Amino acid sequence: DVKVTQSSRYLVKRTGEKVFLECVQDMDHENMFWYRQDPGLGLRLIYFSYDVKMKEKGDIPEGYSVSREKKERFSLILESASTNQTSMYLCASRTYGTPVNQPQHFGDGTRLSIL
Amino acid sequence: AQSVTQLGSHVSVSEGALVLLRCNYSSSVPPYLFWYVQYPNQGLQLLLKYTSAATLVKGINGFEAEFKKSETSFHLTKPSAHMSDAAEYFCAVTPNTGNQFYFGTGTSLTVIP
C-alpha cells in the first residue's frame, strides 16, 4: 500500500511566521502535489512537482513556495503566514507511467490555523 | 481546460436507500475518471477509477460508477446506504496527457437512520 505521510495533523502558527509543511511518500512516485481544501471550494491545487527539483504552479500559488530536494519529500512553505491561509492542506503523490490512469494517493491532511 | 461538476453539494438518504451522486465532466476527449471519499478529518481515499475496459466500474464498500460518454457523466451509486457511508465524495478527472487532476467541489452525503 502507498503511504503518504504529512508531518503534522494539526498546526497553530502566528501571523507573519514562516511555516513548513512536510510530506513524504514511500512508493518512489514521480509526481507530488499540494492542495488546500476549504468548505464549498473543494480542492485547489497550490503547486505540484513532476520530478526532483521540478515544480509547477497550480491554481493558487500566491503566498506559497515549495521544495523538492529528494524524490520522496515535498515541502510546502508559507513565506509569511496570514489568517487567510488557515485551511486544511492535503499532500498527494502519483506514479507517472503505464497504465496512465494512475490515481493520486493522499495523506491525512494538516489542519493549519493562523492566529 | 478540464472541469468537473458535482450536482448537489449535500445529499441526504435514508439508511437502506439508493445512493446516487452525480458527476459530469467537460471534455471532448474522455478523460480518466475517479471517485474519492473523505471521512471527517482524513485525507481522500480512492473509491474507484474508470479504466476504459468497461463502462460500469465497481469500487470498494459496494459503490459503483457508470461511464456514459454521450452524457459526459460518471455518476456514483450504491444500492443500499449504510450509516458508515456518511462522508464527503469527490469526483476527479485527469486528461489523457499531463499530470494534473481536476476535482469537483464535493458532495456531502448524510445517511438518516
Side-chain angles (χ1 to χ4, degrees):
Chain A
D1 268 2
V2 176
K3 185 72 174 172
V4 179
T5 303
Q6 294 185 230
S7 53
S8 305
R9 293 297 305 276
Y10 302 92
L11 207 52
V12 180
K13 296 292 182 180
R14 297 227 173 256
T15 304
E17 280 192 69
K18 190 168 186 175
V19 180
F20 294 85
L21 302 183
E22 306 286 347
C23 176
V24 176
Q25 49 95 3
D26 66 355
M27 284 300 291
D28 203 36
H29 285 171
E30 294 82 8
N31 301 165
M32 296 188 75
F33 306 81
W34 275 108
Y35 296 91
R36 66 176 282 175
Q37 182 180 15
D38 300 288
L41 298 178
L43 276 70
R44 293 182 291 168
L45 182 65
I46 304 171
Y47 268 97
F48 70 97
S49 167
Y50 49 90
D51 209 340
V52 177
K53 296 191 186 294
M54 309 299 277
K55 61 186 179 184
E56 292 283 342
K57 293 181 180 178
D59 300 317
I60 51 164
E62 297 78 18
Y64 303 94
S65 63
V66 290
S67 171
R68 190 153 180 219
E69 296 297 316
K70 293 186 178 182
K71 194 173 186 179
E72 67 270 19
R73 186 180 297 272
F74 192 35
S75 303
L76 179 69
I77 303 156
L78 285 66
E79 298 290 344
S80 177
S82 65
T83 55
N84 63 11
Q85 292 177 310
T86 291
S87 187
M88 172 74 132
Y89 289 87
L90 292 166
C91 175
S93 74
R94 176 183 186 236
T95 190
Y96 189 75
T98 54
V100 296
N101 60 337
Q102 296 296 325
Q104 290 191 357
H105 300 269
F106 285 82
D108 283 337
T110 295
R111 191 166 292 281
L112 175 64
S113 296
I114 308 296
L115 304 179
Chain B
Q2 301 274 352
S3 72
V4 181
T5 303
Q6 290 185 242
L7 270 179
S9 57
H10 297 276
V11 170
S12 294
V13 299
S14 298
E15 191 174 15
L18 171 72
V19 176
L20 170 60
L21 305 181
R22 299 177 187 275
C23 173
N24 288 87
Y25 64 90
S26 66
S27 173
S28 57
V29 177
Y32 296 110
L33 298 147
F34 307 82
W35 274 100
Y36 286 85
V37 60
Q38 185 182 33
Y39 299 104
N41 294 314
Q42 293 187 23
L44 276 66
Q45 178 183 353
L46 181 69
L47 264 182
L48 50 82
K49 64 179 182 180
Y50 172 62
T51 64
S52 77
T55 56
L56 186 62
V57 182
K58 293 189 184 301
I60 63 172
N61 302 339
F63 283 92
E64 58 186 34
E66 186 172 10
F67 173 69
K68 291 187 176 180
K69 183 178 177 181
S70 61
E71 298 178 6
T72 61
S73 69
F74 191 56
H75 301 331
L76 182 71
T77 60
K78 182 173 180 177
S80 176
H82 191 271
M83 295 299 294
S84 60
D85 295 327
E88 184 127 24
Y89 292 80
F90 292 92
C91 182
V93 304
T94 185
N96 308 43
T97 59
N99 299 312
Q100 280 208 45
F101 272 47
Y102 300 88
F103 287 85
T105 51
T107 297
S108 178
L109 177 66
T110 299
V111 181
I112 303 164

